[in-house]
Amino acid sequence: DADVTQTPRNRITKTGKRIMLECSQTKGHDRMYWYRQDPGLGLRLIYYSFDVKDINKGEISDGYSVSRQAQAKFSLSLESAIPNQTALYFCATSDLPSGQGAFEQFFGPGTRLTVL
Amino acid sequence: DQQVKQNSPSLSVQEGRISILNCDYTNSMFDYFLWYKKYPAEGPTFLISISSIKDKNEDGRFTVFLNKSAKHLSLHIVPSQPGDSAVYFCAASAKGGKLIFGQGTELSVKP
């Protein structure tokens, strides 16, 4: 079974709709992240959480919100979807940085979201 | 303001030859650099990393070089194999654990 799972894998929705993307992990990591990938822009951080009670904005948080329901679950919501939020969304997890694997993040398979 | 830049969107290399992927950064506070590899329909996977106190790290066919004075790092793949065809992202971290990613370079290794 995959360590980091994302649901749904694909979603098509309409402008103005509320969408939730879910992420679950079995790695036991405290740190979780949401990114979006756009062609030519790489991966950009939307929100991150270093533990259940900690939520932080990333570089592109406008139009998004998150919920950390448990150590293993981190959800991303688009309150009112717009077409320029069409992108590939990735969830990632990491442990406390230490040693050779410092700062390594483990990514889920991604959710392809299309907003019409 | 792009703190981590990969200026080559794509690279094509013959099987068996060397692939060199480049990455530039602007923030001198970055203390760790990583390379990730991404296949279509999959999430990025960690490939290799280097601390800012080192100038080289090697893992099998993959070597990362860091030139701090030039704020430049590169990933060398020798010999390149068709299975190496993927998008490669470089990433950097300042203290705190967040990663900042470059735009990615799509590597194509031709048989």
Side-chain angles (χ1 to χ4, degrees):
Chain A
D1 286 341
D3 294 320
V4 184
T5 56
Q6 293 183 234
T7 55
R9 293 294 313 275
N10 289 283
R11 182 71 183 269
I12 299 174
T13 190
K14 294 183 178 180
T15 297
K17 293 291 187 181
R18 185 178 188 274
I19 296 297
M20 180 181 284
L21 308 182
E22 298 187 344
C23 176
S24 295
Q25 54 113 345
T26 59
K27 298 191 74 68
H29 290 164
D30 284 328
R31 300 181 169 200
M32 298 187 73
Y33 311 81
W34 275 104
Y35 293 90
R36 64 178 278 177
Q37 183 191 358
D38 298 278
L41 295 177
L43 292 158
R44 293 182 294 166
L45 184 63
I46 306 172
Y47 270 95
Y48 62 102
S49 169
F50 281 177
D51 65 45
V52 175
K53 296 181 181 179
D54 176 74
I55 300 289
N56 303 282
K57 293 182 178 181
E59 59 180 306
I60 53 163
S61 59
D62 287 349
Y64 301 95
S65 62
V66 291
S67 173
R68 184 79 185 267
Q69 300 95 326
Q71 186 204 39
K73 295 185 182 296
F74 193 35
S75 300
L76 176 71
S77 293
L78 287 67
E79 298 301 326
S80 179
I82 56 177
N84 78 359
Q85 292 177 312
T86 293
L88 196 51
Y89 289 83
F90 289 102
C91 173
T93 75
S94 71
D95 207 344
L96 289 173
S98 63
Q100 180 66 22
F103 306 114
E104 179 183 351
Q105 294 182 9
F106 299 84
F107 284 80
T111 294
R112 183 167 296 281
L113 177 65
T114 303
V115 183
L116 301 176
Chain B
D1 179 25
Q2 192 85 23
Q3 296 187 65
V4 179
K5 291 184 181 179
Q6 294 175 257
N7 292 316
S8 298
S10 63
L11 175 67
S12 183
V13 170
Q14 207 68 31
E15 181 180 6
R17 305 296 291 265
I18 185 170
S19 295
I20 300 176
L21 296 97
N22 294 303
C23 181
D24 297 297
Y25 63 96
T26 57
N27 189 342
S28 57
M29 299 302 292
F30 288 144
D31 57 359
Y32 230 90
F33 302 90
L34 302 88
W35 284 93
Y36 278 80
K37 177 178 179 179
K38 183 186 178 304
Y39 292 119
E42 295 182 11
T45 55
F46 171 75
L47 190 58
I48 192 169
S49 64
I50 187 167
S51 165
S52 61
I53 63 173
K54 298 191 174 183
D55 54 19
K56 178 181 174 181
N57 188 28
E58 202 169 348
D59 183 2
R61 296 185 297 114
F62 302 92
T63 303
V64 57
F65 295 92
L66 176 62
N67 182 335
K68 287 183 67 177
S69 61
K71 293 190 176 68
H72 177 83
L73 66 153
S74 60
L75 174 68
H76 293 211
I77 306 173
V78 182
S80 301
Q81 300 173 354
D84 295 329
S85 296
V87 177
Y88 289 79
F89 292 100
C90 69
S93 175
K95 294 191 189 301
K98 291 188 302 177
L99 294 180
I100 298 174
F101 286 83
Q103 304 95 313
T105 297
E106 184 170 9
L107 174 66
S108 175
V109 180
K110 301 191 182 303

